């Protein structure tokens, strides 16, 4: 496969995954912002949404304050934000057009129809929670439809493997960021661990990654920060966990190495991170610092993305 085609497939999958993640972040922030003041605490959930998306510096270049209106406009529609939902869908469709023959009909229809339907939505029309909910459901359903189409209709060859690499690199980064922001932005200093605010924030985060029901299935007890972190970092059964993402990354990189007849830095880097996650224990993670662990992971994940680009996409 041409490196240009592989690059387009890789980034097409990343941008669709990113758009869905942003919709989930906006949904979680809306839920927390709507809590009664007795539960909501003093934190600004909209500031945390921008921080979780990883674009706070760019946001404050364009807006003075993080409010419901400004954050939704920036994360969903702003052309000045290269990672807004609109920008993600636009770049994804452009990439899809470039590799139209490498996509199945279902995959192309999912991203093309989403781009056309996106024109129906404007930030000014999403002032009510019901209207916003309809828009966010549309974005999430697009991600699920595209991902499901790829899984169910793509030939298991290098095109599919590059697409899955894009999904998993992006998903791992997103899960890590939402965990990191919870510990360093969301929870006010005055709020004790286990308080009402803490419970509702962890619940919202689990909902944001569709893991609230999974948490209760696995641990069968009330929400505890270390168990939430264990689920989202180390539990292979949880599809959005860091461990599950890296199991998939190692598997798909190994498939590429078998198809192309050689391994390289990307395979070695992925296996090293996977081994680190397999050997980690959540008690040790908390003892050494969750922020430090997650920060190191994000840096390692970015280096893997760069290694994949250097090895296959340039």
């Amino acid at each position: 496969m041409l490196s240009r085609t592989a690059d387009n497939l890789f980034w097409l999958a990343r941008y669709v995954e990113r758009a869905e993640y942003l919709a989930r972040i906006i949904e979680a922030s809306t839920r927390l912002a709507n809590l009664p003041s007795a539960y909501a605490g003093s934190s600004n959930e909209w500031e945390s949404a921008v921080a979780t998306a990883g674009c706070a510096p760019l946001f404050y270049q364009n807006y003075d304050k993080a409010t419901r209106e400004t954050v939704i406009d920036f994360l969903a529609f702003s052309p000045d934000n290269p990672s807004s939902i609109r920008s993600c869908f636009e770049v994804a469709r452009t990439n899809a057009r470039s590799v139209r023959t490498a996509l199945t009909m279902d995959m192309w229809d999912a991203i093309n129809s989403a781009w056309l339907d996106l024109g129906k939505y404007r930030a000014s029309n999403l002032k009510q929670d019901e209207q916003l909910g309809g828009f966010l459901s549309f974005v999430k359903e697009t991600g699920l439809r595209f991902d499901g189409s790829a899984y169910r209709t793509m030939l298991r060859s290098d095109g599919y493997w590059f697409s899955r690499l894009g999904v998993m690199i992006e998903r791992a980064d997103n899960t890590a960021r939402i965990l990191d922001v919870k510990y360093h932005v969301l929870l006010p200093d005055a709020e004790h661990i286990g308080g009402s605010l803490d419970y509702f924030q962890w619940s919202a985060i689990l909902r944001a990654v569709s893991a609230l029901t999974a948490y209760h299935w696995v641990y069968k007890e009330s929400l505890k920060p270390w168990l939430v972190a264990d689920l989202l970092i180390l539990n292979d059964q949880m599809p959005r966990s860091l461990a599950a993402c890296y199991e998939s990354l190692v598997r798909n990189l190994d498939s590429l190495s078998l198809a192309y007849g050689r391994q390289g830095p990307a395979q070695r880097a992925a296996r090293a991170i996977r081994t680190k996650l397999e050997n980690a224990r959540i008690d040790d993670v908390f003892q050494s610092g969750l922020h430090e662990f997650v920060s190191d992971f994000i840096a390692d994940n970015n280096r893997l993305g760069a290694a994949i680009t250097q090895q296959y996409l340039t």
Side-chain angles (χ1 to χ4, degrees), residues 160-175:
Y160 176 79
W161 299 324
F162 283 121
S163 178
R164 299 314 295 172
L165 292 179
V167 170
M168 294 304 164
I169 285 282
E170 186 68 29
R171 185 173 293 174
D173 182 79
N174 294 340
T175 299

Side-chain angles (χ1 to χ4, degrees), residues 14-27 53 55 71-93 111 114-115 118 121 126 132 135-140 142-143:
R14 285 199 71 164
Y15 277 113
V16 173
E17 181 71 20
R18 187 175 301 176
E20 182 187 344
Y21 169 72
L22 289 169
R24 291 176 180 276
I25 289 302
I26 295 172
E27 184 178 55
C55 52
V71 171
I72 289 174
D73 179 66
F74 183 73
L75 294 184
F77 299 104
S78 176
D80 297 324
N81 178 9
S83 292
S84 69
I85 291 172
R86 184 188 185 282
S87 296
C88 286
F89 277 175
E90 182 176 16
V91 176
R93 183 175 182 269
I111 193 62
W115 171 248
L118 186 63
Y121 298 97
L126 303 180
L132 177 62
F135 169 70
L136 298 178
S137 293
F138 154 72
V139 177
K140 291 190 295 179
T142 296

Side-chain angles (χ1 to χ4, degrees), residues 214 217-219 230-231 234-241 243-244 274:
W217 280 347
V218 173
Y219 300 106
D230 181 71
L231 181 70
L234 304 179
N235 195 313
D236 277 328
Q237 295 177 302
M238 176 60 206
R240 291 182 180 273
S241 73
R274 172 64 175 159

Side-chain angles (χ1 to χ4, degrees), residues 48-68:
S48 74
V50 174
T52 307
C55 52
L58 183 59
F59 174 83
Y60 288 108
Q61 290 176 19
N62 292 274
Y63 303 93
D64 295 327
K65 186 177 180 181
T67 65
R68 183 186 191 277

Side-chain angles (χ1 to χ4, degrees), residues 108-143:
W108 166 250
D109 186 59
I111 193 62
N112 187 54
S113 61
W115 171 248
L116 296 175
D117 290 342
L118 186 63
K120 302 174 185 176
Y121 298 97
R122 297 286 186 276
S124 58
N125 298 331
L126 303 180
K127 297 185 182 298
Q128 301 298 321
D129 285 348
E130 183 177 353
Q131 297 166 325
L132 177 62
F135 169 70
L136 298 178
S137 293
F138 154 72
V139 177
K140 291 190 295 179
E141 287 167 6
T142 296

Side-chain angles (χ1 to χ4, degrees), residues 69-275:
E69 291 73 21
T70 58
V71 171
I72 289 174
D73 179 66
F74 183 73
L75 294 184
F77 299 104
S78 176
D80 297 324
N81 178 9
S83 292
S84 69
I85 291 172
R86 184 188 185 282
S87 296
C88 286
F89 277 175
E90 182 176 16
V91 176
R93 183 175 182 269
T94 299
N95 284 358
R97 290 184 65 183
S98 299
V99 290
R100 176 66 186 84
T101 56
L103 303 178
T104 65
M105 181 65 73
D106 291 329
M107 293 174 69
W108 166 250
D109 186 59
I111 193 62
N112 187 54
S113 61
W115 171 248
L116 296 175
D117 290 342
L118 186 63
K120 302 174 185 176
Y121 298 97
R122 297 286 186 276
S124 58
N125 298 331
L126 303 180
K127 297 185 182 298
Q128 301 298 321
D129 285 348
E130 183 177 353
Q131 297 166 325
L132 177 62
F135 169 70
L136 298 178
S137 293
F138 154 72
V139 177
K140 291 190 295 179
E141 287 167 6
T142 296
L144 292 170
R145 184 183 172 196
F146 181 82
D147 196 46
S149 296
Y151 181 77
R152 293 171 68 113
T153 64
M154 276 192 93
L155 188 68
R156 285 345 186 227
S157 61
D158 45 3
Y160 176 79
W161 299 324
F162 283 121
S163 178
R164 299 314 295 172
L165 292 179
V167 170
M168 294 304 164
I169 285 282
E170 186 68 29
R171 185 173 293 174
D173 182 79
N174 294 340
T175 299
R177 288 182 185 279
I178 197 171
L179 268 174
D180 195 37
V181 168
K182 167 64 180 87
Y183 255 71
H184 291 269
V185 176
L186 282 177
L187 190 64
D189 294 336
E191 180 71 21
H192 296 296
I193 297 295
S196 59
L197 174 59
D198 196 50
Y199 172 84
F200 283 110
Q201 286 177 343
W202 281 116
S203 175
I205 285 172
L206 287 172
R207 289 179 186 274
V209 294
S210 298
L212 184 59
T213 301
Y215 175 91
H216 291 297
W217 280 347
V218 173
Y219 300 106
K220 297 179 175 60
E221 55 182 293
S222 61
L223 298 184
K224 293 180 172 60
W226 54 92
L227 295 181
V228 174
D230 181 71
L231 181 70
L232 297 184
I233 295 175
L234 304 179
N235 195 313
D236 277 328
Q237 295 177 302
M238 176 60 206
R240 291 182 180 273
S241 73
L242 307 188
C245 289
Y246 266 80
E247 185 278 329
S248 178
L249 282 165
V250 168
R251 176 162 34 85
N252 286 290
L253 281 166
D254 284 347
S255 295
L256 282 170
S257 69
L258 288 173
Y260 291 174
R262 65 182 179 87
Q263 297 200 357
Q267 281 81 11
R268 291 190 289 274
R271 280 196 295 271
I273 299 171
R274 172 64 175 159
T275 300

